[in-house]
């Protein structure tokens, strides 16, 4: 706002016109500085103050004060919409205590986390706690192995085509169990490929009059086929390598299990029965060294018993002991690296019998 001299309003002008002479205006005319003492002085912002940023002042209890000359008896009207600020002293609050850790239940899974539904399996919990990675299948898988072994032993005494029924079941469980033992599930293509190789080996044995060359030829072709299929995969190199090794091993085990079909009927009866007894003895609650010794003795005894009913006689003890050793190796493999319950009922059931098939064939040919 610029400086403006005081001007009389209309009533004063009329009075001045009536009186004709006013000494105040005469003095102002003679001395131009004399009227400044009656003039209101206002100081506004200049260009210097506009170029500088305003300094923010901290709010205080006197943030709003009425103008000078305020008379409380006359009242003061604040601008429309103005509300005086209210400032509150902050109140200190103690931090909440950290939640107590929740103990994991004794079931198959641990408690859900806040980040989602991530749960800890038995294998992961055992690995974190530093426990042994060897978890033996137990009595129930051992009982299933014994049932399947007795089926093989009895079907071999009946005839070759009767032996194919439990043999195909053994090969299917072997193919599925090995993939699950390696943590690859679902792996339908690999399981189907391994099982198909086992069926081809069985058919080749029928066509070749049980010649072992049919097993070796099928095994070589299937290894090459697995390699070609993995090379066409678009997965990462590491995943392709894992898949190749799992597929080749699963196919090899399923195809080698056809050795029961290539061996003589007496050797199959003795070897399968020995595996059944050895696995049952291994599942007994005994220390590991004592359990292994008891299992081998039980396998040799079963070989003598079944060999006496067949044409092997006492030589069945050697065949039973050899089949028992291979069965314990397969049992050990199925117990490695924190296997799950599903692994126990697939690989734990099939691997002892599948691993004993080469020994049954070789020892049966040597002793027969």
């Amino acid at each position: 706002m610029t400086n403006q001299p005081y001007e009389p309003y209309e009533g004063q002008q009329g009075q001045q016109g009536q009186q004709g002479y006013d000494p105040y205006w005469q003095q102002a005319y003679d001395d131009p500085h004399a009227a400044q003492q009656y003039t209101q002085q206002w100081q506004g912002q200049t260009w210097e103050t506009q170029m500088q940023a305003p300094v923010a002042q901290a709010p205080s209890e006197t943030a709003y004060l009425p103008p000078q000359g305020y008379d409380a008896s006359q009242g003061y009207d604040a601008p429309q919409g103005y509300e005086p600020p209210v400032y509150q002293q902050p109140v200190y609050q103690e931090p909440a205590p950290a939640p107590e850790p929740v103990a994991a239940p004794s079931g198959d899974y641990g408690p859900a986390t806040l980040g989602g539904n991530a749960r800890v399996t038995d294998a992961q919990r055992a690995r974190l706690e530093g426990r042994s990675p060897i978890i033996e299948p137990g009595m129930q898988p051992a009982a299933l192995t014994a049932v399947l072994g007795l089926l093989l032993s009895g079907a071999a005494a009946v005839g070759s085509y009767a032996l194919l029924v439990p043999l195909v079941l053994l090969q299917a469980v072997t193919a599925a169990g090995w993939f699950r033992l390696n943590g690859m599930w679902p792996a339908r293509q690999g399981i189907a490929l391994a099982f198909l190789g086992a069926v081809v080996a069985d058919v080749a044995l029928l066509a070749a009059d049980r010649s072992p060359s049919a097993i070796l030829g099928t095994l070589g072709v299937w290894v090459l086929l697995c390699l070609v299929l993995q090379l066409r995969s678009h997965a990462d190199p590491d995943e392709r390598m894992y898949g190749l090794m799992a597929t080749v091993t699963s196919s090899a085990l399923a195809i080698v299990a056809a050795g029961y079909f290539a061996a003589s009927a007496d050797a199959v009866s003795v070897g399968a029965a020995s595996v059944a007894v050895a696995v049952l003895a291994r599942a007994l609650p005994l220390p590991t060294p004592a359990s292994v010794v008891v299992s081998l003795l039980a396998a040799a005894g079963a070989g003598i018993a079944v060999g006496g009913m067949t044409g092997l006689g006492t030589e069945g003890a050697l065949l039973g002991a050899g089949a028992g050793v291979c069965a314990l190796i397969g049992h050990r493999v199925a117990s490695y690296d924190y296997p799950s319950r599903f692994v126990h009922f697939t690989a734990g059931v099939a691997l002892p019998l599948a691993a004993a098939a080469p020994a049954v064939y070789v020892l049966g040919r040597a002793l027969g």
Side-chain angles (χ1 to χ4, degrees):
M1 179 181 296
T2 57
N3 299 335
Q4 297 179 357
Y6 173 80
E7 297 181 0
Y9 55 89
E10 295 180 358
Q12 290 181 343
Q13 292 179 358
Q15 293 178 0
Q16 291 178 4
Q18 294 178 359
Q19 294 177 1
Y21 174 77
D22 189 353
Y24 166 75
W25 290 104
Q26 182 64 32
Q27 183 180 1
Y29 179 79
D30 297 338
D31 187 5
H33 299 283
Q36 292 182 358
Q37 58 181 339
Y38 304 100
T39 304
Q40 296 181 357
Q41 301 292 332
W42 295 89
Q43 295 181 359
Q45 295 182 350
T46 62
W47 66 274
E48 295 181 355
T49 59
Q50 291 177 358
M51 294 298 293
Q52 299 178 358
V55 180
Q57 298 180 358
S60 61
E61 296 180 356
T62 60
Y64 175 76
L65 294 176
Q68 298 181 359
Y70 166 74
D71 188 358
S73 61
Q74 298 179 359
Y76 177 77
D77 295 335
Q80 185 177 2
Y82 175 81
E83 294 183 1
V86 178
Y87 301 96
Q88 297 180 356
Q89 186 70 17
V91 180
Y92 174 75
Q93 296 181 356
E94 296 183 357
E100 298 181 358
V102 181
S106 59
D108 294 338
Y109 298 98
T113 60
L114 298 178
N117 292 328
R119 299 180 182 273
V120 180
T121 62
D122 288 341
Q124 293 174 342
R125 187 183 297 110
R127 187 177 292 106
L128 293 176
E129 294 177 357
R131 289 185 286 167
S132 174
I134 303 299
I135 301 177
E136 297 181 355
M139 183 57 70
Q140 293 180 353
L144 293 177
T145 303
V147 170
L148 187 55
L150 293 177
L151 288 176
L152 288 170
S153 179
V158 174
S160 300
Y161 291 97
L163 181 61
L164 283 176
V165 177
L167 178 59
V168 171
L169 178 60
L170 172 63
Q171 291 169 332
V173 178
T174 301
W178 184 259
F179 274 95
R180 189 62 185 94
L181 181 62
N182 287 268
M184 298 181 181
W185 189 265
R188 300 181 182 90
Q189 295 181 355
I191 295 173
L193 183 62
F195 178 67
L196 181 61
V199 173
V200 170
D202 296 339
V203 174
L205 285 172
L206 284 174
D209 195 17
R210 296 189 178 185
S211 175
S213 59
I215 298 178
L216 297 177
T218 305
L219 185 59
V221 172
W222 238 250
V223 170
L224 182 60
L225 181 61
C226 294
L227 180 60
V228 172
L229 291 179
Q230 290 298 326
L231 289 176
R232 296 184 58 187
S233 176
H234 298 285
D236 296 334
D238 293 340
E239 294 182 1
R240 283 189 291 178
M241 181 59 66
Y242 296 151
L244 175 62
M245 297 304 297
T247 307
V248 170
T249 306
S250 180
S251 301
L253 289 172
I255 293 172
V256 167
Y260 286 109
F261 195 65
S264 62
D266 294 341
V268 174
S269 297
V270 173
S274 300
V275 171
V277 175
V279 173
L280 284 176
R282 184 65 178 86
L284 295 176
L286 298 174
T288 301
S291 178
V292 171
V293 173
V294 171
S295 299
L296 294 178
L297 293 176
I304 294 174
V306 179
M309 295 183 292
T310 61
L312 291 178
T314 57
E315 294 179 351
L318 182 59
L319 177 59
V325 170
C326 295
L328 292 182
I329 294 175
H331 182 273
R332 181 72 173 184
V333 172
S335 306
Y336 184 70
D337 198 16
Y338 310 102
S340 63
R341 187 175 179 84
F342 187 86
V343 173
H344 287 162
F345 280 92
T346 53
V349 172
L351 285 184
L353 286 168
V360 169
Y361 174 79
V362 173
L363 293 176
R365 290 291 298 269
L367 298 175

